[in-house]
């Protein structure tokens, strides 16, 4: 069974930093791209960052470029999101995600989410 377990969220002041981590199991982690999403109540989930299966390519939402860094360790089956220079608008529940294509259709897998609150 695919399992994604997130950790590292918390309360931080504006300008501070947090590092989120996602531990994956139940699938061939090194064969799949991984993503971080975030969501606030009443709004759609937003793709924050993505990384290819090998870690050779990354992409970021414009709002976090230069502040967030996604990375992965395929030997440990983990993907991380380093968040620096945090702003109040970064407050959200952050989710680890991967997509698998089963019988021609995409299926999303999600972690349980971890709350990040940026406030003074």
């Amino acid at each position: 069974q695919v399992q994604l377990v997130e950790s590292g969220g918390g309360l931080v002041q504006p300008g501070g930093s947090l590092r989120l981590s996602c531990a994956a199991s139940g699938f061939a982690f090194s064969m799949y791209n991984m993503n971080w999403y975030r969501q606030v109540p009443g709004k759609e989930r937003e793709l924050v960052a993505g990384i290819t299966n090998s870690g050779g390519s990354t992409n970021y939402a414009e709002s976090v470029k230069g502040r967030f860094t996604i990375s992965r360790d395929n030997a440990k089956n983990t993907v991380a999101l380093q968040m620096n220079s945090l702003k109040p608008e970064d407050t959200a529940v952050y989710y680890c995600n991967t997509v698998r294509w089963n019988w021609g259709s995409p299926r999303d897998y999600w972690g349980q989410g971890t709350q990040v609150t940026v406030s003074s």
Side-chain angles (χ1 to χ4, degrees):
Q1 183 178 12
V2 172
Q3 187 173 21
L4 303 172
V5 181
E6 300 152 348
S7 61
L11 175 64
V12 65
Q13 294 185 357
S17 298
L18 284 173
R19 183 177 177 88
L20 307 183
S21 183
C22 172
S25 62
F27 67 104
F29 178 78
S30 64
M31 296 182 65
Y32 290 89
N33 297 345
M34 299 298 297
N35 308 295
W36 285 96
Y37 282 78
R38 66 186 181 188
Q39 187 171 27
V40 299
K43 296 185 178 180
E44 295 183 354
R45 286 177 297 179
E46 175 190 19
L47 177 62
V48 176
I51 188 167
T52 54
N53 59 346
S54 67
S57 183
T58 59
N59 64 280
Y60 299 92
E62 188 66 30
S63 61
V64 308
K65 285 182 178 178
R67 301 188 298 120
F68 291 11
T69 302
I70 188 171
S71 61
R72 67 190 296 161
D73 187 340
N74 285 348
K76 297 180 179 180
N77 284 9
T78 59
V79 58
L81 185 69
Q82 178 67 45
M83 305 185 295
N84 299 326
S85 301
L86 284 162
K87 304 175 180 180
E89 50 263 46
D90 295 319
T91 296
V93 178
Y94 284 72
Y95 297 93
C96 183
N97 161 268
T98 192
V99 179
R100 299 177 69 187
W101 291 83
N102 303 124
W103 301 104
S105 299
R107 180 177 178 180
D108 280 290
Y109 295 87
W110 302 95
Q112 79 285 355
T114 185
Q115 177 72 48
V116 172
T117 302
V118 185
S119 177
S120 60

